[in-house]
Amino acid sequence: MSESPRCRVCAGPLREFVDFGRQPLSNRFPLPDRLDDEYFFTLAAGICESCTMVQLMREVPRDRMFNEEYPYLSSGSAVMREHFTEIAQRFLRTRLGEGGFAVELGSNDGVMLKTIADAGVRHLGIDPSDGVAEAARERGVRVWTRFFERSTAEEIVAAEGRADVVYAANTLCHIPYLDSVFEGIRTLLAPSGVFVFEDPYFADVVRHNSFDQIYDEHYYLFSARSVQATAARYGLELVDVERLAVHGGEVRYTLAHAGALTPGTAVADLIAEEDALGLARNETLDAFAADVAAVRDDLVRLLSELRDRGKRVVAYGATAKSATVANYCGLGPDLVEFVCDTTPAKQGRVTPGSHIPVRPAEAFRDPDYPDYALLFAWNHAEEVMAKEQEFRDAGGRWITYIPEVGIL
Ligand code: SAM
Ligand code: TMP
Ligand code: ZN
């Protein structure tokens, strides 16, 4: 018998609180004639009863997820392009003086580092997925194609010196081996340097019932408390936190070498908020799991009813997170005609596990708008709805399921 999994950070006991059953890789879109070699695993999340880190109960081997076929392009959203330009400009203003050096983990298509590169500032992206890394190079961004871990940090220091800023957006939560990463950060960071990372915020997942933030790549769901505890294990210190509205609610964490910077009051304030919300309490997590099951029942009921009434339903945005919803709810082409998405590498393929065809963005209106659009890209709702106002004007309605099932 295999032992029950222990916390990946502190080896404490894990308490499982939600189980989505058998799930595919969220970012592997098979060709319609190649459906027989999909990889599946059991997707369940638990909380460490010792350090409060929320994490998956099982780990998917990293090479299966991040390789030259990884299709996700960060530049696909105008709001995100703006977001990354802003943080790059902030780094240039406040942290990257003469001779400054910035490193980004998970630099993807170079959406953030491009601004740093254009300013002529020394930089390096680290990303194991060569397709997206190549897209960054085409923009004039320097990238090493590899996984960041302790040995990578040592190589960077030997070749380029220490970094004034290390940044990671929507990447740290993808990396189970945080011990190696944090040891690497301690090696890589200059004495007065900062490690800034931003990821979906577990408190927002619970508050908004955004359960599809849980999928293979989102190995961790961070809170200020769990990040503070993890940083302390590696001689680092959480010195600032900033709430972000992007991707359905994130926190940007700033870490420094322990004692190098004085933590702002925002850290203690956010931890107090988390405690007031009961984020680590069994009752809170059990209520979350019950809400998730209710959304599944409501969504399946609504889509079945629309199908029976002969309505056309398509989905909008073949997001990685929609793999969780589609597979957990058993959605397939019988309930959702197709998903439209702007990402070239997803088009002409089908969604992981659920096998709904993915078509280009233009298919949304061509030849006619559908009656309903299931908003898989709910984290980009404002941007998408503004862009697709004509759909609404033509009588189309949006279906959402976060925080609950509704028609807008
Ligand atoms: N930073 C971009 C953003 O916020 O849009 C990209 C986020 S994307 C969801 C995650 C990226 O992390 C992918 O490009 C993936 O290849 C990369 N990645 C995964 N494991 C990594 C690791 N150990 N070191 C560096 N990058 C990694
Ligand atoms: P994300 O939630 O991981 O950022 O993925 C968003 C997905 O939605 C990505 O595949 C691109 C797609 N998308 C569109 O098709 N149209 C849009 O307007 C936006 C913002 C995203
Ligand atoms: Zn732990």
Side-chain angles (χ1 to χ4, degrees):
M1 232 176 67
S2 64
E3 279 180 50
S4 40
R6 312 285 296 181
C7 173
R8 202 63 166 77
V9 174
C10 79
L14 284 184
R15 177 181 176 271
E16 181 178 312
F17 60 89
V18 68
D19 183 349
F20 297 101
R22 189 171 172 268
Q23 292 278 340
L25 301 179
S26 62
N27 254 317
R28 193 176 171 284
F29 291 73
L31 287 163
D33 57 353
R34 293 284 310 279
L35 303 179
D36 45 358
D37 70 340
E38 277 187 283
Y39 175 92
F40 289 93
F41 72 107
T42 301
L43 178 68
I47 187 164
C48 172
E49 291 180 322
S50 182
C51 76
T52 76
M53 184 64 85
V54 173
Q55 57 205 278
L56 299 190
M57 302 300 288
R58 280 168 204 81
E59 185 175 331
V60 172
R62 64 186 190 177
D63 304 282
R64 280 194 179 270
M65 296 186 280
F66 308 114
N67 50 51
E68 61 289 346
E69 287 176 29
Y70 185 70
Y72 181 71
L73 294 174
S74 303
S75 295
S77 152
V79 169
M80 292 313 298
R81 288 198 296 275
E82 177 68 25
H83 173 83
F84 290 123
T85 304
E86 267 172 30
I87 186 68
Q89 283 168 344
R90 192 197 293 182
F91 288 146
L92 287 169
R93 250 192 344 264
T94 60
R95 297 255 157 217
L96 295 168
E98 189 69 27
F101 178 39
V103 173
E104 184 179 15
L105 320 181
S107 45
N108 197 270
D109 62 6
V111 65
M112 195 290 284
L113 281 180
K114 186 181 174 350
T115 302
I116 308 260
D118 287 350
V121 170
R122 220 151 55 83
H123 66 276
L124 181 64
I126 303 292
D127 201 302
S129 303
D130 204 35
V132 299
E134 203 40 49
R137 289 186 194 106
E138 280 164 19
R139 295 193 155 103
V141 169
R142 287 184 66 223
V143 188
W144 286 1
T145 302
R146 70 197 73 179
F147 289 96
F148 183 83
E149 54 197 336
R150 189 178 44 207
S151 59
T152 326
E154 285 159 1
E155 280 180 77
I156 299 173
V157 172
E160 315 260 340
R162 293 187 177 213
D164 303 291
V165 174
V166 180
Y167 177 67
N170 307 299
T171 296
L172 204 70
C173 74
H174 293 51
I175 309 182
Y177 38 100
L178 273 191
D179 48 346
S180 179
V181 168
F182 273 76
E183 281 168 14
I185 295 292
R186 201 174 46 191
T187 304
L188 177 58
L189 215 52
S192 60
V194 288
F195 175 36
V196 179
F197 66 93
E198 54 197 63
D199 282 295
Y201 183 37
F202 184 54
D204 285 332
V205 170
V206 169
R207 272 196 201 103
H208 308 312
N209 197 28
S210 44
F211 63 91
D212 59 353
Q213 291 282 19
I214 303 174
Y215 55 92
D216 56 353
E217 293 177 17
H218 285 182
Y219 187 82
Y220 292 109
L221 288 161
F222 296 131
S223 63
R225 180 177 285 287
S226 66
V227 167
Q228 186 185 53
T230 305
R233 296 176 70 84
Y234 297 97
L236 297 167
E237 190 171 13
L238 178 61
V239 294
D240 195 18
V241 287
E242 189 184 342
R243 300 285 302 274
L244 304 172
V246 297
H247 285 308
E250 301 206 325
V251 168
R252 177 179 286 154
Y253 305 90
T254 301
L255 273 56
H257 286 290
L261 293 174
T262 308
T265 52
V267 175
D269 290 350
L270 195 59
I271 290 177
E273 244 184 67
E274 292 170 359
D275 289 347
L277 188 66
L279 206 52
R281 287 193 10 225
N282 290 349
E283 307 88 90
T284 311
L285 301 177
D286 292 345
F288 167 74
D291 289 347
V292 171
V295 165
R296 174 189 56 191
D297 296 347
D298 290 349
L299 186 59
V300 171
R301 196 177 311 117
L302 173 65
L303 294 176
S304 307
E305 204 181 288
L306 293 175
R307 175 194 54 197
D308 296 347
R309 284 169 45 208
K311 300 294 184 191
R312 280 189 66 216
V313 179
V314 312
Y316 201 103
T319 52
K321 59 179 75 61
S322 66
T324 298
V325 184
N327 288 279
Y328 174 61
C329 299
L331 310 185
D334 58 322
L335 293 174
V336 178
E337 194 179 311
F338 63 84
V339 191
C340 58
D341 192 285
T342 52
T343 316
K346 297 181 184 177
Q347 297 160 1
R349 295 175 173 255
V350 297
T351 54
S354 51
H355 303 165
I356 304 169
V358 183
R359 305 229 173 105
E362 300 70 43
F364 189 47
R365 65 188 64 83
D366 186 21
D368 295 306
Y369 283 119
D371 300 303
Y372 293 87
L374 176 60
L375 190 54
F376 276 164
W378 59 264
N379 50 318
H380 301 290
E382 233 174 90
E383 177 176 354
V384 168
M385 288 186 185
K387 186 157 87 176
E388 300 292 358
Q389 183 56 41
E390 242 182 66
F391 163 64
R392 200 70 183 71
D393 295 343
R397 307 292 297 269
W398 294 101
I399 298 174
T400 168
Y401 49 89
I402 302 289
E404 58 194 2
V405 175
I407 296 179
L408 308 173

